[in-house]
Amino acid sequence: MNKGNIIRHLPFFMVWAPKVQTWLSRTKKKSKGYGRIRLTAYGKGNSIEIGENTGYQLLEIEFRGNNNKLIIGKDCYFERGCRMVFTANNGLIHIGNKTTMGLNSAVICHEKGNSIKIGDDVMMSINVIIRNSDGHPIYDQNGERTNPGKDVVIGNHVWIAEGARIQKGVTVGDGAVIGGGASVIKDVNAHSIVAGAPAKEIRSDIRWERKLTE
């Protein structure tokens, strides 16, 4: 681990290396959270806002472009190895209040002007990936792109189980459950369960709770 790339909120930023200070000077930051952040920032005009009582064991934030914005609400928690990645300009990742993310999960915002919005009280397990682009372009024989990036919207009180993948253009309704290992390429109805690759609805009109089964 390179401590030169780690920032600690106490609740202010402590910076160990001049190079990181240079990156931070180009990144607006406003945090009332606690924990450690590893920031990689190439570009300018990027900003980070983190709400009160939000914790992170080691949150990795990567900006590879300009004028991107990361907004995280209050009372959230991110386990070690969680990543927020921007690879273009004018992207937005917005995460609501009381949302949690498990080990080694990632939210990846590709392509200019696209966004990923995650609601309140979303529970993400380990190794979850949410992305709004395939990452590489595909063209037809006429040179027209066939796979443009599209925004992702995840509603409130959604449970995303271990290893699930939420792909570009998907909207997940409130109260839904995404099964472990699912690959979600179509919209998910509110209060439904989807599973499989590609994911299909297997049950509707459900409700779930965060408390562990006894």
Side-chain angles (χ1 to χ4, degrees), residues 154-195:
I154 297 174
N156 300 320
H157 191 59
V158 172
W159 175 8
I160 305 176
E162 179 179 350
R165 301 290 188 267
I166 312 296
Q167 309 291 354
K168 64 180 185 181
V170 167
T171 295
V172 179
D174 294 347
V177 176
I178 311 299
S183 178
V184 183
I185 61 174
K186 298 191 298 184
D187 290 353
V188 177
N189 293 324
H191 305 289
S192 68
I193 302 175
V194 299

Side-chain angles (χ1 to χ4, degrees), residues 131-157:
R131 57 190 306 147
N132 59 5
S133 170
D134 296 333
H136 300 277
I138 300 174
Y139 302 95
D140 64 18
Q141 294 301 314
N142 296 317
E144 295 292 328
R145 187 173 174 192
T146 62
N147 67 333
K150 297 179 182 178
D151 295 342
V152 172
V153 178
I154 297 174
N156 300 320
H157 191 59

Side-chain angles (χ1 to χ4, degrees), residues 7-25:
I7 302 153
R8 186 183 298 275
H9 292 215
L10 296 171
F12 54 91
F13 286 91
M14 292 180 63
V15 180
W16 281 282
K19 186 174 183 180
V20 178
Q21 183 65 63
T22 301
W23 292 339
L24 287 174
S25 68

Side-chain angles (χ1 to χ4, degrees), residues 91-110:
L92 169 66
I93 296 175
H94 188 287
I95 299 174
N97 302 322
K98 298 183 179 180
T99 286
T100 56
M101 180 178 283
L103 288 166
N104 300 321
S105 294
V107 181
I108 304 170
C109 186
H110 286 293

